Amino acid sequence: MEPTLALTQALIRRPSVTPEDGGCLTLIAERLEALGFHCERMDEGGVSNLWAVWGTEGPTLTFAGHTDVVPPGPEDAWTHPPFEGHFDGEWLWGRGAADMKGSLAAMVCAAERLCQHPRAGRLAFLLTSDEEGPAQFGTRYVADMLEARSELPQWVVVGEPSSAEKLGDVIRVGRRGSLGGHLEVRGVQGHVAYPEKARNPIHEALAPLAAVVAQRWDDGYGPFPPTTFQISNVNAGTGATNVIPGTLTAEVNFRFNPGQTPEGLQARVEACLKEANCDYTLTWTLSGPPFFTDGGPLIEATEQALVQIVGYGPERSTGGGTSDGRFLAPRGMEVVELGPVNATIHKIDERVLAADLPRLRDVYEALGERLLPRLSS
Ligand SMILES: [Zn+2]
């Protein structure tokens, strides 16, 4: 079996639903140690993390990613069992095949080639078993440790499945930020027949929420789409039809581009609530600031590697949800996300085109060749 395919299969066969690692990092560390990597486990809070470095000086190119997978859902709905790693000659099936054990295997196999030659610079791996979950003790924790040691890398390739239709047609160079809010509007509970003796928080929340929803936040920022605001939950009412409730709660979320700040968006929402004289509290949680790598050696090397291996240059995208890039890029690293086609990720029957795996390895290898040139011996 082709080596990248074989390693992907071996990883799929180690079930690792968040925050489990299932032995994936041990397998990867064994392969890297054989190449001369110094491997350091940075497990914390029930999460498995690996920081592995090859080479001693110069700029550091890091392959980053996660061994954890989302739950398979009902296993009998799968065409092939989700942790079997079934290969049908064309597709490799299984949870994590595309997100992102295929990328991890391609990165390890690329390292096995890159480390055959002494190089100007270091090659590193930053892997975690908690990307799909709370992500408290995963990449964020390792980046904190590395920052404290002044060991942050310059360039990070995250293996998230960025491709849309075919391998390498899209790379991600940034992500929108995510800002959540929990709103509570207080009224006075009472009988619906005596509204003058009550204050209805549903009525009081309607106008300001409608005003917020009607806002146009901006017109986008570079390759970023306009900032969006969504109300995801509204709850009020006692269940009885003759009672005016005392409170209304709502969950809201912004996906915002780097042209905005959380403080600015919060102020605009609160202005609407104050204008309506609502009695409210609103607590905000920033789950990730936006990030944007606007050019630089890493993006150049990635685009050149794709042209060399797959024959076309990628679209630079900032779409999709959040990723662990949010913990890295704001610290000054150049970050690009490049991985397989994402059509089946998180779905029943997740799978990856087997032929894409060695090609992805070749792309990772080619960008490594460009960023970490060989030393003439
Ligand atoms: Zn992923």
Side-chain angles (χ1 to χ4, degrees), residues 65-66 68-70 98-101 131-132 158-161 175 322-324 337 345-346:
H66 60 89
D68 60 319
V69 298
V70 296
D99 185 10
M100 51 173 279
K101 290 176 171 177
E131 191 274 341
E132 305 283 9
V158 184
E160 289 295 345
R175 294 271 184 151
T322 64
S323 86
D324 273 357
E337 295 177 27
I345 61 170
H346 294 209

Side-chain angles (χ1 to χ4, degrees), residues 28 37 48 52 75 150 156 197 249-250 290:
I28 290 171
F37 274 79
S48 306
E75 299 203 12
S150 302
V156 182
K197 293 181 179 166
T249 60

Side-chain angles (χ1 to χ4, degrees), residues 17-41:
V17 173
T18 314
E20 292 303 320
D21 164 66
C24 294
L25 287 182
T26 303
L27 174 63
I28 290 171
E30 277 170 15
R31 298 276 287 252
L32 296 178
E33 268 164 2
L35 300 174
F37 274 79
H38 172 70
C39 291
E40 193 179 342
R41 286 292 287 263

Side-chain angles (χ1 to χ4, degrees), residues 65-314:
H66 60 89
T67 57
D68 60 319
V69 298
V70 296
E75 299 203 12
D76 54 6
W78 285 68
T79 306
H80 305 285
F83 300 113
E84 182 191 302
H86 180 82
F87 176 49
D88 66 10
E90 185 183 11
W91 297 93
L92 180 65
W93 301 67
R95 176 58 82 226
D99 185 10
M100 51 173 279
K101 290 176 171 177
S103 305
L104 299 182
M107 288 167 165
V108 170
C109 292
E112 288 175 341
R113 293 180 168 192
L114 289 165
C115 297
Q116 298 305 315
H117 306 274
R119 293 182 182 277
R122 309 196 307 166
L123 184 62
F125 280 75
L126 195 175
L127 307 178
T128 181
S129 72
D130 180 13
E131 191 274 341
E132 305 283 9
Q136 263 302 101
F137 298 113
T139 299
R140 180 210 304 256
Y141 174 81
V142 177
D144 284 344
M145 295 292 115
L146 297 179
E147 189 163 13
R149 289 173 7 186
S150 302
E151 211 191 340
L152 287 175
Q154 280 67 34
W155 304 304
V156 182
V157 179
V158 184
E160 289 295 345
S162 62
S163 304
E165 308 281 332
K166 50 186 181 173
L167 182 69
D169 60 352
V170 177
I171 59 172
R172 291 199 200 288
V173 297
R175 294 271 184 151
R176 291 179 295 174
S178 174
L179 173 67
H182 173 80
L183 172 68
E184 181 175 315
V185 176
R186 286 175 295 274
V188 175
Q189 184 173 328
H191 195 296
V192 293
Y194 303 93
E196 68 281 3
K197 293 181 179 166
R199 220 174 68 240
N200 191 325
I202 302 178
H203 295 190
E204 299 208 341
L206 284 176
L209 285 178
V212 173
V213 168
Q215 301 251 348
R216 182 161 181 88
W217 305 95
D218 53 53
D219 296 316
Y221 181 94
F224 284 82
T227 295
T228 60
F229 171 88
Q230 289 293 310
I231 302 172
S232 60
N233 288 271
V234 175
N235 291 291
T238 62
T241 55
N242 58 353
V243 177
I244 294 170
T247 57
L248 172 145
T249 60
E251 305 297 329
V252 303
N253 182 268
F254 276 106
R255 294 298 156 110
F256 64 102
N257 63 48
Q260 298 285 357
T261 62
E263 296 75 22
L265 295 169
Q266 291 166 207
R268 285 172 70 177
V269 173
E270 305 220 12
C272 293
L273 290 159
K274 287 189 178 117
E275 167 125 10
N277 277 319
C278 277
D279 176 16
Y280 74 93
T281 48
L282 183 48
T283 43
W284 296 97
T285 309
L286 180 66
S287 34
F291 66 89
F292 183 33
T293 300
D294 187 14
L298 175 62
I299 289 193
E300 269 169 43
T302 304
E303 292 183 339
Q304 288 165 356
L306 280 166
V307 170
Q308 178 191 334
I309 303 298
V310 300
Y312 42 82

Side-chain angles (χ1 to χ4, degrees), residues 70-72 78 95 342-350:
V70 296
W78 285 68
R95 176 58 82 226
N342 55 33
T344 61
I345 61 170
H346 294 209
K347 293 184 178 173
I348 301 281
D349 282 348
E350 179 176 349

